[in-house]
Amino acid sequence: MAFLQSVNIGRPQPNAYKKDKSTGIGKQPFEDPVEVRAPGPKTVGLGSGLVGDFIGDGKHHGGDSQAVYAYAREDLDAWQQKLGRELPNGSFGENLTTVGLDINEARLGEQWRIGRDVLLQVTTPRIPCATFRGFMGLPGWLKTFTAFGHPGAYLRVVSPGAIVAGDRIEIVHRPDHEVTIGLAFRALMIDRDLMPRLLEAGDDLDPDLRESALVR
């Protein structure tokens, strides 16, 4: 059974890697239920899909198509072995740390029911940024993260509600196409010749990804 091991919230803190902005990448598990709702568009919306979670760079992060970020505890465990350091839940800036769910094999447009009310839809892979690189403090981190090929997934909020650690995650809709988070990540970051394959996702393809694929 797939479930939420933790729900993680980031508070504003100075961003040494983008000096004119604050950051919420340093997320910590939150024990109480957290409200989830669609935040609206980038720059003019509420940023994160989780109430109380801070998004510092609203131009490139947050908004409806990146409302929630999920990463698997199993992948964090693999990173712990690779890096030789402890990685608590929230270490990659993820809102949801999951167990029992292969996030990188999730298909674009796939929908997850979490708890009783919340419905989320898989949209795009996480693309590593300068803040993530600085936060990890490891030379060559962006290349290392990219080569591993387990980016985790951004999700949009289809139905709002409250979630809490321990909630069950159920895949309630899986599209017929085979365009996964892992495939999209490889197309965007490693092999641009794969970009046209993203169009196989049809209406499940995020508009920004569709534009990039069409250009290719």
Side-chain angles (χ1 to χ4, degrees), residues 73-157:
R73 182 62 246 180
E74 293 88 345
D75 287 336
L76 285 175
D77 290 342
W79 278 115
Q80 285 190 155
Q81 293 297 316
K82 286 176 176 289
L83 302 177
R85 63 193 260 190
E86 184 179 2
L87 294 172
N89 292 351
S91 289
F92 280 11
E94 77 273 13
N95 298 115
L96 311 180
T97 308
T98 68
V99 169
L101 187 66
D102 191 344
I103 292 175
N104 304 291
E105 287 300 309
R107 298 176 184 178
L108 305 189
E110 186 172 300
Q111 294 187 358
W112 305 346
R113 175 79 64 190
I114 302 182
R116 185 183 65 183
D117 299 319
V118 172
L119 186 65
L120 304 178
Q121 183 177 45
V122 175
T123 56
T124 63
R126 186 254 192 89
I127 304 301
C129 65
T131 298
F132 187 32
R133 177 183 60 203
F135 183 72
M136 292 298 293
L138 296 170
W141 172 246
L142 297 190
K143 289 183 179 180
T144 302
F145 181 82
T146 298
F148 189 53
H150 291 203
Y154 282 118
L155 306 109
R156 73 170 67 250
V157 179

